[in-house]
């Protein structure tokens, strides 16, 4: 039997991968244990590619959960902050105060607080207001959001008792009223936005306005995080595709006692869950022990503050999500044409093409809006992911589509470089210019 190579020697031969030595040692051990010495470079590349890295989102999905949902653009202070210190008194303060107050102003609520995500906001609200009591939910709204988040299961975890109302396709105010009258201890009505599916045909549901006439608090999980249906932070009118999306401000105006929403969907911020509405209820949530377990960190709060200030200042263009929404087709087409022109001498087979973008993030399942991008024959998605700055596109009917609506214009250079590089590779390789069809 040949002597295995020294782990240390092998690890040192991988130095150029720019990974910490202990990780290189793990890679070397794995190559030896699995008898993959020939492939040790491949193992190191795999390991490196498993790390977090910026990517270019050319999928046309604005809020792509696999790509971190809303894109962020922030400078965060890296040193200490007054996270839980009142600069006025020098005493301990609340980490919820600063951003909570801004968020409350932004959505017209008495108070607001922030937790880890909207799933956490639902769990905390149910636990704090509904533990050991009944919570009425329409049978048409017992949703699964994705990632195993199912309303009946979350209800169970919170210690609240699910009180089912109405039927899958139709729930009426009388159904809720019966629940209020018949249940010995109903804590609230929970209205859950059907974010990622629709019920069509013979249907009926009850508005927040009508639910607010009941004798128990109405809590609305709107999920998507649209702040204000009027979108005053945009130059023009609100996009038509947002017409049916519930907004935090209007839901509160219609009489919801609390709204719950995500920070990283249509709010365009970092991963967070926001609870906004009546002060006494928000404070009740804040006092529950789960609030401590679900509390956000300094980084998240700083970013959320930046985004909330942009909303209050009506600076929609400072929020990357709304910049992407506001891009015109003409502008996107001009960028696509320019990219094609720059690639003319490269032998890259690329065409400018109309496309359809979608909101994503489990919101607005049937909405698409016109966009523009690039079309490349064949499926080159793997090659596009392989470079140091991975580009994530989509493959449709044997073509690779790069939708420019979700691509920052500053990344157009990357797109040109990567496509030119792939064309060069295929010129030199066995996949000639026509072989890629
Ligand atoms: C997305 C969504 C959630 C979960 O939000 P996260 O921030 O991802 O935890 C909860 N409820 C509704 C209605 C949603 O759309």
């Amino acid at each position: 039997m040949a002597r295995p190579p020294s782990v240390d020697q092998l690890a040192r031969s991988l130095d150029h991968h720019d990974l910490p030595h202990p990780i290189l040692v793990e890679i070397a051990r794995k190559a030896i244990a699995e008898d993959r010495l020939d492939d040790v470079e491949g193992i190191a590349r795999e390991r490196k590619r498993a790390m977090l890295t910026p990517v270019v989102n050319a999928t046309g999905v604005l809020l792509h959960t696999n790509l971190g949902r809303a894109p962020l653009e922030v400078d965060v202070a890296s040193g200490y902050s007054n996270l839980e210190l009142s600069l006025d008194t020098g005493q301990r303060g609340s980490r919820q105060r600063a951003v909570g107050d801004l968020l409350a102003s932004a959505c017209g609520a008495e108070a607001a607080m922030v937790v880890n995500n909207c799933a956490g906001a639902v769990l905390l609200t149910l636990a704090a207001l509904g533990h050991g009591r009944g919570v009425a939910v329409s049978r048409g709204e017992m949703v699964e959001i994705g990632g195993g988040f199912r309303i009946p299961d979350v209800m169970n975890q919170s210690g609240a008792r699910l009180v089912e109302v109405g039927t899958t396709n139709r729930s009426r105010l009388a159904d809720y009223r019966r629940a209020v009258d018949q249940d010995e201890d109903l804590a609230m009505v929970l209205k859950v936005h059907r974010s990622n599916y629709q019920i069509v045909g013979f249907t009926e549901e009850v508005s927040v306005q009508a639910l607010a006439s009941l004798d128990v608090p109405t809590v609305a999980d709107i999920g998507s995080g649209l702040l204000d249906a009027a979108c005053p932070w945009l130059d023009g009118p609100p996009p038509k595709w947002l017409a049916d999306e519930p907004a935090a401000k209007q839901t509160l105006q219609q009489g919801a006692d609390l709204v719950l929403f995500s920070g990283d969907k249509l709010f365009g911020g970092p991963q967070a869950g926001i609870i906004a509405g009546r002060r006494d209820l928000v404070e009740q949530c804040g006092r529950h022990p789960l609030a401590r377990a679900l509390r956000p960190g300094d980084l998240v709060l700083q970013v959320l503050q930046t985004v909330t200030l942009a909303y209050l200042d009506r600076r929609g263009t400072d929020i990357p999500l709304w910049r992407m929404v506001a891009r015109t087709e003409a502008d996107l087409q001009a960028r696509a044409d320019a990219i094609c022109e720059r690639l003319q001498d490269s032998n890259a087979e690329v065409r400018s093409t109309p496309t359809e973008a979608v909101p994503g993030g489990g919101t607005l399942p049937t909405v698409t809006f016109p966009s523009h991008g690039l079309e490349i024959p064949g499926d080159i998605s793997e090659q596009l992911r392989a470079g140091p700055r991975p580009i994530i596109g989509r493959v449709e009917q044997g073509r690779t589509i790069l939708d420019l609506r979700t691509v920052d214009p500053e990344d157009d250079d990357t797109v040109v470089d990567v496509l030119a590089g792939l064309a060069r590779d295929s010129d030199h390789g066995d996949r000639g210019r026509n072989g890629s069809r």
Side-chain angles (χ1 to χ4, degrees), residues 178-238:
R178 200 170 313 121
V180 176
D181 290 345
Q182 291 179 359
D183 197 277
E184 69 280 9
D185 188 18
L186 199 74
M188 67 173 112
V189 167
L190 177 66
K191 184 156 178 70
V192 186
H193 181 44
R194 280 186 213 113
S195 298
N196 53 7
Y197 73 105
Q198 283 186 333
I199 296 181
V200 296
F202 187 53
T203 65
E204 188 171 339
E205 66 175 303
V206 184
S207 67
V208 166
Q209 210 147 15
L211 291 176
S213 69
L214 298 168
D215 280 341
V216 295
T218 301
V219 175
D221 171 12
I222 62 169
S224 67
L226 177 62
L227 195 59
D228 182 341
C231 300
W233 54 87
L234 295 181
D235 281 340

Side-chain angles (χ1 to χ4, degrees), residues 69 116-122 143 145 149 151 192-196 221-224 260-265 271-273 361-363:
R69 289 200 184 144
N116 179 63
N117 56 14
C118 189
V122 175
V143 307
I145 300 298
F149 180 80
I151 290 294
V192 186
H193 181 44
R194 280 186 213 113
S195 298
N196 53 7
D221 171 12
I222 62 169
S224 67
L260 317 177
F261 57 93
S262 287
D264 56 356
K265 292 183 182 172
Q271 182 189 304
T363 58

Side-chain angles (χ1 to χ4, degrees), residues 111-115 120-122 124-125 258-261 273-277 282 285:
M113 66 176 286
V114 182
V115 292
V122 175
L124 175 60
T125 306
L258 286 181
V259 287
L260 317 177
F261 57 93
I274 292 134
I275 302 174
V282 172
C285 291

